Amino acid sequence: MKVKNYIDLQKAIDLNEDIELTNSINAVDTIKLNKGQKIFSNEENLLLSFINGDGLALSGDNEISNVAIQTTPSRRAIYIDSKEEDLGEIKLNNLTITGMVQLLTRGNNKKLSVKIETLDILAADARNYPERPMKYGVNVYQGALTIYNFNPKEGSEIRVSAENISLGRQKAPVIGSGVFISGFNDESGKVIIEKLTTNDIYTNGMIPTGQPNLITGAIFIVYGAHAKEIISKGKTVTYGTNDMVLDVWGEVDDWISKDKILSYGSSAIGFVNFGYVKNYRAEAEVKTFGLGARGFNQYDGSIENAEFKSIKTLGDGSIGMQFSKPVGTITIKEDVETTGSTGETLVKGEIKELQADGISVLEGGEIEKLVVEGNLTAKGEEVVAYHVNGGKVKSFKLKGKISVENENSKEVLIENNGESDLTDLREY
């Protein structure tokens, strides 16, 4: 049914006809699609906007294609409102969005397949929704794109393929998390991500400085979610306090970041892993600018193989890389460099003071093989370039030099029963 105004749109809903939009429409209220209903347009520059409330509510087996949808940024442009047990397949193709896309299942919803091809969310504010994962002493805001299995019942599952996802703009980030994909918890309400590809992602959690129990992630694979393949083709950037750039609580098989990973806020981390990652590769630099903003942290779980081009942090308390759990092979193709001294930062829901060490291996941390093909440099006062504090490094290969700039700093410090292979560092 061809639709050119709001009255026609309501008629098409009542008749359960597929909807072809032929004109821009200002809808007064939320529109709920029937199960199996499609809405699309063959026109360019066509906008479906919602004056009050949320936008399109989905019942299952819906498809939305080639449409720009606008709500108030704090509302949901697309969301699920259904009691169906099997929601079938929801397809989102070539959409430009103002507002949140929230595909959240609960209650009776047990099965859902999500296929997204080219989704650009210009603006969204995802802070207002009460369903928030909690673990490690923190809660997580939902994202501009949220895929969330909030049904703990046995057998509930969402399967996802999402490609060409873009969020926010440089200096105009979406608010809250960015790409947020979560199960109900570690044991139930699973999400299987067959493939996720992202373009430029810009986020700002708008979290007050000093807030210890609230975080966001630009790309956040939360518990209960298992991603088989992630390709970050564009820049991934956060601007706010406690805004992780990449964060994993779940599982990831293979992840490649082809462009820069940047954070500008305090207590942020370029890549923090609490989950299980098999292979990760950053082909461009990881760089953080905020106080207490670290480059890479392994706080729980493990990572088998991780390769970074370079890691650079600028700020007091901003460690280059820190490990407190066993990992496999860690390779940095160029330099690890920190510029900063001691400062406050968020660690597992608590504000603590940390030194801006270059590489820090704590008690419980164990690295099978550590390779730095460039230099390892710490430029602040009373910091350590290579600090094994109770942890263990079985093999350490350094092709460049270790250096510090302050006389009160140390190039190498092994303490508290820490162990490290220093075969390539005989002068130390």
Side-chain angles (χ1 to χ4, degrees):
M1 181 174 178
K2 293 183 181 293
V3 169
K4 62 182 179 181
N5 56 46
Y6 183 54
I7 294 173
D8 288 346
L9 181 57
Q10 289 180 311
K11 283 182 181 178
I13 297 294
D14 292 339
L15 294 171
N16 198 14
E17 297 274 355
D18 286 347
I19 300 164
E20 180 185 351
L21 299 177
T22 62
N23 198 40
S24 292
I25 295 174
N26 283 337
V28 177
D29 291 305
T30 297
I31 294 292
K32 184 174 181 178
L33 299 180
N34 299 296
K35 188 169 185 181
Q37 198 167 27
K38 300 177 182 179
I39 185 167
F40 65 96
S41 175
N42 292 314
E43 304 289 334
E44 293 184 4
N45 302 316
L46 188 150
L47 179 65
L48 174 61
S49 56
F50 292 86
I51 298 170
N52 298 307
D54 296 315
L56 289 173
L58 309 182
S59 299
D61 278 321
N62 299 117
E63 181 174 341
I64 308 171
S65 301
N66 304 314
V67 181
I69 301 172
Q70 183 177 39
T71 62
T72 301
S74 60
R75 305 306 293 257
R76 298 171 296 181
I78 299 171
Y79 68 105
I80 292 173
D81 180 15
S82 176
K83 295 182 179 179
E84 295 279 345
E85 181 174 296
D86 188 348
L87 292 169
E89 186 172 76
I90 289 175
K91 294 181 179 180
L92 307 178
N93 302 316
N94 194 27
L95 304 180
T96 302
I97 303 290
T98 300
M100 185 180 172
V101 174
Q102 184 199 63
L103 303 179
L104 185 151
T105 59
R106 66 174 90 234
N108 293 329
N109 310 141
K110 290 189 71 175
K111 296 294 182 183
L112 171 63
S113 174
V114 176
K115 291 191 176 179
I116 302 174
E117 175 59 52
T118 309
L119 172 67
D120 186 3
I121 301 180
L122 305 175
D125 184 347
R127 295 175 295 171
N128 297 327
Y129 297 92
E131 302 89 356
R132 298 175 186 172
M134 181 178 179
K135 199 174 181 180
Y136 307 110
V138 295
N139 290 271
V140 186
Y141 277 143
Q142 292 185 37
L145 171 60
T146 290
I147 301 173
Y148 197 171
N149 188 346
F150 206 68
N151 183 351
K153 295 178 183 178
E154 184 178 353
S156 71
E157 181 181 272
I158 300 175
R159 301 193 76 89
V160 180
S161 175
E163 300 194 52
N164 294 318
I165 309 299
S166 305
L167 305 178
R169 294 295 185 270
Q170 186 174 7
K171 299 181 183 179
V174 296
I175 300 173
S177 290
V179 178
F180 168 108
I181 303 178
S182 181
F184 186 81
N185 56 30
D186 288 311
E187 293 79 30
S188 60
K190 299 297 183 180
V191 181
I192 307 299
I193 305 156
E194 297 291 344
K195 188 171 185 179
L196 169 65
T197 69
T198 61
N199 301 317
D200 290 345
I201 305 288
Y202 298 94
T203 72
N204 183 355
M206 293 286 196
I207 298 169
T209 300
Q211 169 65 264
N213 57 6
L214 191 59
I215 67 170
T216 70
I219 303 175
F220 207 141
I221 307 302
V222 195
Y223 49 40
H226 179 184
K228 296 180 180 180
E229 181 182 18
I230 303 176
I231 303 173
S232 303
K233 297 186 292 184
K235 294 182 178 69
T236 312
V237 184
T238 65
Y239 289 91
T241 299
N242 301 356
D243 288 351
M244 312 303 140
V245 187
L246 311 181
D247 202 334
V248 177
W249 289 6
E251 298 180 52
V252 178
D253 292 345
D254 293 285
W255 192 337
I256 298 174
S257 296
K258 292 184 172 294
D259 210 329
K260 294 179 180 179
I261 296 168
L262 304 171
S263 76
Y264 294 94
S266 60
S267 291
I269 303 176
F271 181 15
V272 56
N273 182 34
F274 287 85
Y276 291 87
V277 178
K278 290 182 180 178
N279 299 292
Y280 174 75
R281 185 168 80 247
E283 296 181 350
E285 67 178 343
V286 176
K287 192 171 185 180
T288 69
F289 293 87
L291 300 176
R294 290 140 283 167
F296 173 79
N297 268 132
Q298 181 71 51
Y299 277 141
D300 203 354
S302 188
I303 191 164
E304 293 183 13
N305 296 285
E307 180 181 299
F308 299 86
K309 181 177 186 288
S310 64
I311 292 179
K312 186 173 184 178
T313 68
L314 299 97
D316 292 342
S318 296
I319 295 171
M321 307 184 80
Q322 188 168 62
F323 303 85
S324 57
K325 292 292 181 181
V327 299
T329 300
I330 307 295
T331 304
I332 300 92
K333 304 296 288 185
E334 297 179 5
D335 300 336
V336 177
E337 180 182 304
T338 65
T339 302
S341 301
T342 300
E344 290 187 341
T345 189
L346 177 70
V347 179
K348 294 184 180 180
E350 298 181 15
I351 302 297
K352 296 184 177 181
E353 282 201 344
L354 297 180
Q355 298 172 181
D357 294 341
I359 294 177
S360 169
V361 187
L362 302 176
E363 182 179 0
E366 184 174 302
I367 304 175
E368 289 290 327
K369 185 178 181 180
L370 175 62
V371 179
V372 180
E373 296 186 4
N375 299 316
L376 177 52
T377 306
K379 295 183 176 181
E381 296 183 7
E382 297 183 345
V383 295
V384 182
Y386 180 58
H387 193 179
V388 181
N389 186 3
K392 184 176 182 178
V393 180
K394 292 183 179 180
S395 173
F396 180 26
K397 306 296 182 184
L398 175 70
K399 294 185 178 179
K401 295 181 179 180
I402 292 183
S403 64
V404 294
E405 292 191 351
N406 189 276
E407 62 182 11
N408 295 323
S409 297
K410 295 180 182 294
E411 291 164 337
V412 176
L413 178 60
I414 313 294
E415 61 178 343
N416 294 325
N417 298 314
E419 300 178 32
S420 178
D421 167 34
L422 298 179
T423 304
D424 289 351
L425 307 173
R426 289 187 180 91
E427 61 184 292
Y428 300 107

